[in-house]
Amino acid sequence: MKKLCLAVAALLLAGCQTPQGPVAPPPVAAPSAPQAQPHAAPAPVQSAGPLTRAGVETYMDAQEADLRSYLRGQGVLVARRGNGLAVTVAADRLFDKSNVSSWGNAFLQSVAQVLAHYDHTLIEVNGYSNASGNDQRDLELSRNRAKTIADGLSRNGVASSRITVNGFGATNLRIAKASDPRNRRIEIRIAPNPSK
């Protein structure tokens, strides 16, 4: 009984503390468990608050931690580059041929939840392909896939004014063999956009 009282008291005291830095958005289902209604209107997400130059590192630390938490165990790479973030995912996981897969829809919902919360960032969606066709076709395919992902983020609550789209075709290969399917990927780059 004494241990139970101590645990309850610790929880009550923890709830009284003022959080430091941005407050994390409410959790959403992990991409391994797609939502039943992928086209339902997204629930409003509370902003992490204003971003000043002095607070950039803390803001991006919190966003990185949330992305890693939401995407843990999904085979998605979250990398930190200075105060920028890059989320890289294989196109074969995101798409069933030309349509977004059910896993891809759940991924978009999770990532959009975090991006909508940390609303003082700019987002660049970059598409890459392998060298499976001619250069023009690869470029067009990578751009179309990047646009599809950007549109999915917008549908899930991320302001489209924050998003830019690029298709790079079979450039910047991750695997030396240009035709390797592992070169097909989407990279979502996130950069801080402080107001002062």
Side-chain angles (χ1 to χ4, degrees):
M1 183 67 173
K2 197 175 199 179
K3 288 181 181 180
L4 178 62
C5 289
L6 287 174
V8 170
L11 285 173
L12 289 173
L13 287 173
C16 294
Q17 294 178 350
T18 304
Q20 300 297 318
V23 177
V28 295
S32 59
Q35 301 292 321
Q37 300 176 7
H39 298 294
V45 175
Q46 181 181 3
S47 171
L51 176 60
T52 62
R53 290 188 199 286
V56 165
E57 190 168 344
T58 302
Y59 190 89
M60 296 307 287
D61 286 346
Q63 185 171 22
E64 178 185 10
D66 286 348
L67 283 168
R68 288 185 186 282
S69 174
Y70 282 33
L71 300 172
R72 183 171 285 119
Q74 300 301 314
V76 175
L77 176 65
V78 178
R80 180 78 176 253
R81 297 172 183 158
N83 278 324
L85 299 170
V87 177
T88 306
V89 62
D92 295 346
R93 299 228 34 219
L94 289 170
F95 297 95
D96 288 330
K97 299 195 180 186
S98 60
N99 298 318
V100 177
S101 66
S102 59
W103 184 91
N105 279 318
F107 166 83
L108 287 170
Q109 289 172 0
S110 294
V111 171
Q113 184 89 6
V114 175
L115 295 177
H117 178 64
Y118 296 97
D119 55 351
H120 290 281
T121 54
L122 299 176
I123 301 145
E124 186 178 301
V125 181
N126 297 324
Y128 298 90
S129 70
N130 62 339
S132 59
N134 67 47
D135 291 347
Q136 186 59 37
R137 181 187 170 280
D138 291 340
L139 192 63
E140 185 177 316
L141 176 64
S142 64
R143 174 148 174 70
N144 289 343
R145 284 185 172 165
K147 182 165 180 3
T148 298
I149 296 305
D151 292 346
L153 292 172
S154 293
R155 273 193 311 277
N156 283 287
V158 180
S160 59
S161 60
R162 296 171 53 202
I163 304 172
T164 58
V165 175
N166 298 300
F168 292 109
T171 62
N172 195 18
L173 301 174
R174 298 182 84 196
I175 307 298
K177 184 179 176 187
S179 62
D180 193 306
R182 292 176 289 179
N183 286 316
R184 294 191 300 254
R185 66 196 185 280
I186 295 292
E187 184 180 78
I188 302 169
R189 292 187 178 206
I190 306 159
N193 186 27
S195 55
K196 298 178 189 176

